[in-house]
Amino acid sequence: MPASGVSAAAIAARLSAVGLSARLEDYDRYTTVEVELPESLSAELWREVLEAVAVADRFGLLATSLHRRTLWAVVNKAVPTTGDVGGPSHQR
């Protein structure tokens, strides 16, 4: 399934279902999902987490020297197919 058809809220719900507290941030062209990961995760939990974010357009893991790990995912919003796609300066 293309990521534009995936809802960031659905990813957040899957992460919440495995006990992680997900944060959503909405921007003009995309929505982000972030979760703080505990220091240790079982192989089964890692599998579920990776399956949840695998449908996103991009995802990654930010690890800091303070032993914090933040998993993030980005879901692009659908690009309009009609109307003023190029913006106000676009000429047809």
Side-chain angles (χ1 to χ4, degrees):
M1 167 183 291
S4 61
V6 173
S7 166
I11 294 171
R14 284 187 70 182
L15 294 170
S16 295
V18 297
L20 300 172
S21 180
R23 298 180 304 277
L24 291 168
E25 289 287 332
D26 193 40
Y27 298 92
D28 289 340
R29 295 184 179 187
Y30 57 88
T31 303
T32 62
V33 181
E34 292 185 356
V35 293
E36 297 298 324
L37 297 175
E39 285 190 34
S40 64
L41 290 175
S42 67
E44 179 64 28
L45 186 54
W46 264 117
R47 191 171 11 267
E48 291 183 43
V49 167
L50 291 175
E51 285 176 2
V53 297
V55 296
D57 290 297
R58 294 183 309 277
F59 67 89
L61 179 67
L62 175 64
T64 68
S65 61
L66 299 174
H67 304 289
R68 295 187 65 194
R69 297 184 303 174
T70 303
L71 179 72
W72 56 268
V74 173
V75 176
N76 294 330
K77 293 183 178 176
V79 176
T81 56
T82 61
D84 193 15
V85 175
S89 64
H90 180 73
Q91 296 181 357
R92 297 178 191 203

